[in-house]
Structures are given as C-alpha cells and as structure tokens.
Amino acid sequence: MSARAQVGIVLVSHSGPVAEAVADLARGLAAGGATAPVAAAGGTSAGGLGTSADMVAAAARSVDRGAGVALLVDLGSAVLTVKAMLAEGDELPDGSRLVDAPFVEGAVAALVTASAGGGLDAVEAAATEAYGYRKV
C-alpha cells in the first residue's frame, strides 16, 4: 500500500439526508486531522427514498484511493443493491466490500480506523465490533 492509499467509506442509505448526516457525524467524530474519504449514497437520483446503484457506484469511485472501499448500508434493499453490484463485479472499484455493521456506529468506527491508516480488514473489524456497543 502506498503512502497515499487509504480505505474509502461509502454510506448507503434509503435516504439522502440520512446518508449525508451520518457522513457528517462520522467526519465530526473522527476529527483531529484529515479523515479518510467518505461519501454518502442515499436515496434516488430524483431525491426520493430508495437506493440507486448509479449513486453507489459514483460514491465508491469518488472515495477509491487504492486500498479498498468499505460499503456500509442501512436497510434490506440497500444490502441487496450492493450485493448485486459486487456480484456483477464491474460497477465498483476493485477491493470494494460490503461491511456488516450498524449504520451509525459502524460508520464512525470505520472512518476513525481508515483515517488512522487501517487497512480494509481493520476497517471492517472496527465497524463490525460496533455491534457490541451496549447502551444499557
């Protein structure tokens, strides 16, 4: 991995405002320096609720820095959209991976880890560990 290679994060939600808000929250909580690239892919291109493969692909390309792209998703059809894109194999950058993690907590953990220089496996592990965060 080169000095500039960094894992990118894509947040796929059924809602554009939700994806943008979670990206902003993760950036804010990961602050203290430059953060890894993160992009929101929420809603449809017409601004409605849903998932757009074109928007997911564009977001993934925008954060690809050569070390992989971690895609975190919110609900069922977002999962199916990303799985279909990965199965097709030609819409997402090489090294793209669907990460099974809670959307908000996982996004923060993924971005913090990627910003610290963690590789794709470390980013996935950090995001997945967020399932264990207990609130009570």
Side-chain angles (χ1 to χ4, degrees), residues 37-88:
V38 58
T44 66
S45 58
L49 297 176
T51 306
S52 163
D54 291 339
M55 291 174 68
V56 173
R61 286 191 300 270
S62 77
V63 300
D64 182 23
R65 302 291 187 275
V69 175
L71 296 110
L72 284 79
V73 300
D74 64 355
L75 301 171
S77 64
V79 176
L80 297 175
T81 298
V82 172
K83 282 184 173 180
M85 294 174 76
L86 289 168
E88 290 291 323

Side-chain angles (χ1 to χ4, degrees), residues 10 18-20 43 54 59 69 71 73 82 84 93 96 115 122 134-135:
V10 175
V18 168
E20 291 290 345
D54 291 339
V69 175
L71 296 110
V73 300
V82 172
S96 293
S115 298
R134 306 297 305 181
K135 297 178 175 118

Side-chain angles (χ1 to χ4, degrees), residues 106-120:
V108 173
L111 188 59
V112 167
T113 302
S115 298
L120 188 56

